[in-house]
Amino acid sequence: MEFTISREELLQGLYLTQGIVERRTTIPILANVLIESSDDGISIAATDQEVGVRRRCEAKVKKKGALTTNARKLYEIARELPEAPLVIRSLDNNWIEVSSGKSRFKIVGLDPKEFPAMPSADSVHDNQGISIPSTLLKEMIERASFAVSVDETRLNLSGIFFERPEAGQLRLVATDGHRLSMITRSVEGGSAAPGVIIPRKGVGEIAKILETGDETVRVQIQGGVAHLSRGAVELSMRLVEGEFPDYKQVVPQKSERRLAVGVEPLLGALRRVSIVSSERTRGVKMQIEPGRLELSSINPDLGEASEEIAAEYEGAAFGIGFNAKYLIDVLSVLGPGMQVEIGFNDEVSPGVLRCEGETDFLYVVMPMRL
Amino acid sequence: MGPVTILHADMDAFYASVEQHDRPELRGKPVIVGGLGNRGVVSTASYEARKFGVHSAMPTLQARQLCPQGIFVPGRMQRYVEIGQQVRQVFEEFTPEVEPLSLDEAFLDITGSLTLFGGARQIGVRLKARVLEVTGLAVSVGIGPTKMIAKIASGKCKPDGLLEVSPAEAEAFLRPLPVNQIWGAGPTTCAALERLGIRTVGDLADADPALLERSLGNHGPALRALARGDDARSVEADRQRKSYGEEQTFDRDLRDGIELRRIVAAQAEAIARRLRRDNCVARTVTLKVKLAQRIGPGKYPLLTRRTTLAAAVDDGAAIHRTAVALWNSIKNGLTIRLVGVAVSGIQETGGAQMPLFASPDVQRRTRLNRAVDALVDRFGSDAIQRADSVGVKQHAARSLGKGPR
């Protein structure tokens, strides 16, 4: 195989593979990218057998074929080379030559026939796909992904629940067992469908392909695999097996006490007050009184902090404790100028946060005993 | 890690000394603190009482026979806790590295404080003076290069003593001691060592490791290392408890019945409250039963049964249920003189963060437990009890702070 490619195009293709290739793998080829010629150029692919990405790149192919080599090293080489076209060709015994201007690299490769297949559906049952603007999907993922569990033992919480509750709707739900974030938006096409769990690593890769621009993303769920395509990029990932908990059951039906407060003042106060809270639990107390909210934290090893902010609240004074991180996480992904409403029932029941003027986002957070 | 200097501080006849301090008329008299009922056990005997052969863990009845003129007083746990906290604060004036063993006993790693206070002995002298100044009580202090040596030293210099064993003196200090002074050398091990002709710590230090391993397994080489003064265990400040337990010796023998279950329920509730206070949950529940028929002077058969739960709990009802199931697994018709419940397999709950997906039943229990805890915090443990536990004395059930850790 031999082709000429612009440095920029090669970098773009390799960038998407960097998060997928395994750093410490027992299967050496999983650290590699597969480059194959196609009719109008080349494709660059990588997989860890759970998540796979493939991007079509413009290139002048002189000799068709395929090659595979270390993804990180090739990326580093391309990054350090000056802006000029690169020529990549395969040599005998799977060696690869990369040349640009007066630089020449000869690096080891492996037999491209050994490269594992991308995750693909294990059945042909076709599940209708949906189309969604990339900016919308990006926003939805931003508002859900921070709540995904990082606990390896809670596999069914280790991803975003992707559900179509009704035709023309997409809902993303994520929880780590202490808090839950849920966002629902209208999308084109697709009928109601039961949810699937998109793995945490896959969510990160989806976010990456949505980073810039605005194009339509096509999402298809089929036979245990989610498949996304956007422009020249295709992403596929094996779904998490397991049952997502019944999230509807933990959303309180009503809140007896309701507090309205601006995102920016609340976020700032939480960040400050939580500095002295215990590092492990990050416990912060909220004392709510008509017209005001007082945040405070006490750490026997360090000291204490408190801050008062203006808030809309009518009703009896009330105190409740939270892990500050759980509130900071959600406020950080909301617009600083927004106003949020937080509903409470008692100090051992979940708080529910909603954005003023939005009905399709909610965040449920369990309190702490302080 | 370089060489360390460890100080072991142990209050002298703690509960009895507190009583003598608070009630001057008891000073110089044989004071015995403990359960006063027929089945009571001595918690602490003053040095005056010890001359009569009275010691802790002895049945009170036996103590009365040995020392008829003794002054027997019930324990005042709250007061001991209060003084124990004052003592702890004094310890912390010398180093933050304090590992409490009980209310009245702690290891201090003073390695980092030596320069500041002018040496180990100086720290010992000043610590004794400060404890006396703050509490009016005497403390014995042992100083050594390992925990074990420090503890043996404080035991040897009691009461009101101070004994420093320098690293150079450690070998000479340890070698002549009887082998039962080594940590982990209980009666069974000592008997096995005796058969090998090992009687002193020196004998053990010189013993053939292969021979020890043959007769004692892995335990052998470990004991030999201790005998040679090799003890890498460091002082662990703020050590997490490994278990929580409550037990009670009855005034009269009990047969299987409602009363026993009530006592177990009260113990389970008390343990659960302590777990919740410490933001911990436990997975293993142990039931301990001492049978009434005597098998020797002060000796009764002891049965223990334990089980591990699917999920860790801090709920008294769950601990109670498990303990009762364990009781049912022990054969019926037994007459008992003591029952105790303990939990182990302790995990911290990550503070007091509540879970989202708890079943409604668990949520109800959480609410109930929280309300109960709030009442107990405010009005004391008599303020609220399970209806079927009313009348069960929980103070007596509390194993006076010397329980397992």
Side-chain angles (χ1 to χ4, degrees):
Chain A
M1 179 183 197
E2 182 174 344
F3 63 94
T4 306
I5 187 167
S6 80
R7 176 177 170 268
E8 190 53 37
E9 188 74 0
L10 181 65
L11 279 176
Q12 292 227 344
L14 288 172
Y15 168 67
L16 295 176
T17 66
Q18 299 300 301
I20 293 176
V21 289
E22 299 268 325
R23 227 171 265 275
R24 285 180 303 272
T25 173
T26 48
I27 310 172
I29 205 159
L30 294 184
N32 282 13
V33 285
L34 175 70
I35 303 182
E36 292 173 297
S37 57
S38 60
D39 297 339
D40 52 352
I42 59 157
S43 69
I44 298 179
T47 182
D48 64 358
Q49 297 185 294
E50 294 295 319
V51 182
V53 69
R54 184 190 304 274
R55 186 182 188 275
R56 292 192 305 279
C57 300
E58 278 177 35
K60 253 190 256 144
V61 178
K62 198 167 158 191
K63 206 166 133 196
K64 294 198 169 211
L67 60 86
T68 171
T69 190
N70 186 281
R72 280 176 209 283
K73 287 297 160 197
L74 191 57
Y75 184 60
E76 281 173 36
I77 290 167
R79 222 175 32 192
E80 297 304 331
L81 283 171
E83 185 57 67
L86 284 85
V87 179
I88 298 181
R89 66 189 183 105
S90 40
L91 310 173
D92 287 346
N93 290 327
N94 302 315
W95 283 83
I96 318 289
E97 186 190 72
V98 181
S99 52
S100 166
K102 293 199 164 80
S103 306
R104 254 169 59 92
F105 296 83
K106 196 179 148 194
I107 48 177
V108 291
L110 289 165
D111 183 353
K113 285 199 270 305
E114 302 287 313
F115 201 83
M118 297 289 124
S120 64
D122 54 21
S123 72
V124 289
H125 167 74
D126 188 54
N127 188 334
Q128 269 183 305
I130 51 162
S131 295
I132 176 168
S134 61
T135 45
L136 179 57
L137 183 58
K138 182 181 170 193
E139 186 204 6
M140 292 179 77
I141 286 180
E142 243 170 40
R143 286 208 191 170
S145 58
F146 66 85
V148 171
S149 170
V150 289
D151 182 350
E152 299 297 334
T153 63
R154 305 186 78 173
L155 204 60
N156 64 330
L157 304 185
S158 70
I160 293 185
F161 190 62
F162 222 79
E163 186 191 35
R164 280 176 277 156
E166 294 172 29
Q169 273 197 342
L170 176 65
R171 174 174 291 163
L172 268 51
V173 190
T175 179
D176 63 2
H178 299 310
R179 36 72 181 271
L180 176 145
S181 191
M182 169 167 125
I183 179 165
T184 315
R185 289 289 157 91
S186 301
V187 292
E188 269 177 48
S191 50
V196 295
I197 307 170
I198 307 270
R200 188 173 61 237
K201 182 169 179 179
V203 169
E205 297 308 320
I206 298 174
K208 221 167 173 183
I209 71 168
L210 302 175
E211 270 169 11
T212 53
D214 189 8
E215 285 175 276
T216 299
V217 181
R218 183 87 189 141
V219 183
Q220 258 177 312
I221 311 289
Q222 194 177 20
V225 167
H227 195 86
L228 286 89
S229 56
R230 180 203 171 181
V233 183
E234 284 175 62
L235 194 59
S236 50
M237 62 201 65
R238 213 166 286 290
L239 301 171
V240 175
E241 283 175 23
E243 201 173 326
F244 199 74
D246 181 6
Y247 65 87
K248 292 187 191 104
Q249 157 226 315
V250 301
V251 178
Q253 293 307 304
K254 58 176 175 53
S255 298
E256 283 164 22
R257 303 172 159 100
R258 293 221 278 252
L259 165 86
V261 62
V263 166
E264 200 168 9
L266 180 57
L267 181 58
L270 278 166
R271 284 201 169 124
R272 286 183 287 276
V273 169
S274 65
I275 291 171
V276 298
S277 67
S278 128
E279 244 164 69
R280 203 166 47 81
T281 62
R282 306 285 303 274
V284 166
K285 187 172 183 211
M286 291 175 117
Q287 181 64 33
I288 302 155
E289 278 161 38
R292 61 187 280 264
L293 163 66
E294 192 193 57
L295 297 167
S296 61
S297 65
I298 296 180
N299 181 345
D301 299 330
L302 201 58
E304 51 187 76
S306 67
E307 182 166 338
E308 190 183 310
I309 55 177
E312 286 172 38
Y313 176 74
E314 289 163 15
F318 168 67
I320 187 166
F322 286 107
N323 179 333
K325 179 185 184 319
Y326 293 162
L327 294 172
I328 290 171
D329 280 351
V330 62
L331 295 169
S332 304
V333 300
L334 300 176
M338 283 174 127
Q339 189 83 1
V340 290
E341 185 200 89
I342 312 178
F344 307 98
N345 284 312
D346 61 28
E347 72 276 17
V348 293
S349 302
V352 186
L353 183 144
R354 290 186 167 84
C355 298
E356 217 151 80
E358 271 189 54
T359 52
D360 49 12
F361 173 71
L362 70 84
Y363 183 68
V364 183
V365 55
M366 278 308 281
M368 283 178 82
R369 290 189 293 249
L370 287 182
Chain B
M1 228 173 48
V4 292
T5 306
I6 291 168
L7 184 151
H8 179 255
D10 193 2
M11 302 296 289
D12 297 328
F14 184 51
Y15 302 156
S17 301
V18 172
E19 295 303 330
Q20 289 177 322
H21 176 262
D22 290 357
R23 296 164 60 186
E25 73 273 17
L26 299 182
R27 289 180 197 169
K29 303 215 168 108
V31 174
I32 295 152
V33 179
L36 299 190
N38 286 337
R39 292 300 175 71
V41 171
V42 174
S43 293
T44 315
S46 73
Y47 282 93
E48 296 83 358
R50 291 184 193 189
K51 286 189 193 128
F52 295 89
V54 178
H55 57 78
S56 53
M58 171 183 281
T60 304
L61 274 184
Q62 196 183 342
R64 282 190 201 276
Q65 283 161 9
L66 288 170
C67 183
Q69 64 274 61
I71 300 161
F72 289 79
V73 296
R76 293 179 299 150
M77 203 58 211
Q78 248 177 348
R79 176 73 177 140
Y80 308 148
V81 169
E82 186 188 328
I83 299 200
Q85 279 163 354
Q86 293 172 1
V87 172
R88 181 83 40 87
Q89 276 171 14
V90 171
F91 293 166
E92 283 169 359
E93 292 171 10
F94 295 89
T95 171
E97 299 295 318
V98 177
E99 178 185 347
L101 296 175
S102 65
L103 274 181
D104 58 333
E105 187 184 351
F107 282 116
L108 282 70
D109 184 337
I110 54 170
T111 317
S113 318
L114 293 173
T115 323
L116 185 63
F117 292 95
R121 189 169 184 84
Q122 239 352 77
I123 292 180
V125 169
R126 287 178 68 161
L127 184 137
K128 285 173 64 69
R130 280 290 293 151
V131 169
L132 184 67
E133 185 184 336
V134 171
T135 66
L137 301 176
V139 61
S140 290
V141 167
I143 297 167
T146 71
K147 276 180 157 181
M148 189 181 80
I149 293 173
K151 187 164 163 122
I152 295 173
S154 72
K156 267 188 117 60
C157 68
K158 269 180 171 301
D160 199 14
L162 169 62
L163 178 58
E164 183 186 359
V165 179
S166 73
E169 296 159 345
E171 196 185 342
F173 173 76
L174 285 175
R175 287 189 67 93
L177 297 174
V179 76
N180 67 9
Q181 291 284 298
I182 297 288
W183 286 2
T188 317
T189 305
C190 286
L193 290 171
E194 172 88 43
R195 281 196 291 278
L196 299 174
I198 295 168
R199 289 184 187 83
T200 66
V201 176
D203 295 341
L204 180 57
D206 297 338
D208 173 12
L211 180 73
L212 288 174
E213 195 163 356
R214 268 201 303 282
S215 63
L216 294 170
N218 289 336
H219 196 39
L223 284 178
R224 181 169 173 273
L226 283 176
R228 297 167 80 90
D230 296 335
D231 179 12
R233 276 171 291 194
S234 58
V235 170
E236 288 168 47
D238 268 336
R239 191 171 55 152
Q240 198 196 339
R241 292 183 73 97
K242 292 202 175 75
S243 71
Y244 291 73
E246 301 274 336
E247 61 180 61
Q248 183 178 0
T249 303
F250 312 132
D251 291 334
R252 55 188 172 78
D253 293 337
L254 284 187
R255 286 190 168 273
D256 177 17
I258 290 169
E259 196 172 350
L260 183 116
R261 281 155 205 263
R262 275 184 195 165
I263 291 165
V264 168
Q267 292 176 344
E269 290 292 341
I271 290 169
R273 256 200 318 274
R274 288 162 61 197
L275 282 171
R276 293 194 295 268
R277 180 200 61 203
D278 293 351
N279 288 323
C280 284
V281 289
R283 266 193 81 180
T284 300
V285 177
T286 303
L287 179 76
K288 170 174 159 186
V289 173
K290 204 176 255 183
L291 302 183
Q293 88 261 28
R294 212 158 67 126
I295 51 173
K299 278 193 176 167
Y300 300 88
L302 182 71
L303 302 177
T304 57
R305 293 286 182 277
R306 73 178 56 195
T307 188
T308 297
L309 304 169
V313 298
D314 64 0
D315 177 40
I319 296 170
H320 176 224
R321 249 193 328 271
T322 312
V324 167
L326 288 170
W327 166 249
N328 290 337
S329 75
I330 298 177
K331 68 176 190 267
N332 285 326
L334 298 173
T335 317
I336 21 194
R337 65 180 270 119
L338 172 149
V339 68
V341 177
V343 296
S344 52
I346 308 295
Q347 300 157 16
E348 285 186 60
T349 51
Q353 176 63 50
M354 290 176 241
L356 255 180
F357 299 101
S359 68
D361 189 43
V362 170
Q363 283 175 16
R364 261 198 310 279
R365 296 292 320 179
T366 305
R367 273 204 187 81
L368 174 65
N369 287 336
R370 185 179 167 80
V372 170
D373 291 348
L375 279 170
V376 170
D377 286 349
R378 238 174 117 183
F379 303 110
S381 55
D382 288 337
I384 182 161
Q385 288 176 24
R386 290 171 55 93
D388 60 7
S389 301
V390 171
V392 174
K393 274 276 170 234
Q394 283 183 22
H395 314 297
R398 181 73 180 269
S399 49
L400 289 177
K402 295 253 186 186
R405 236 164 298 268

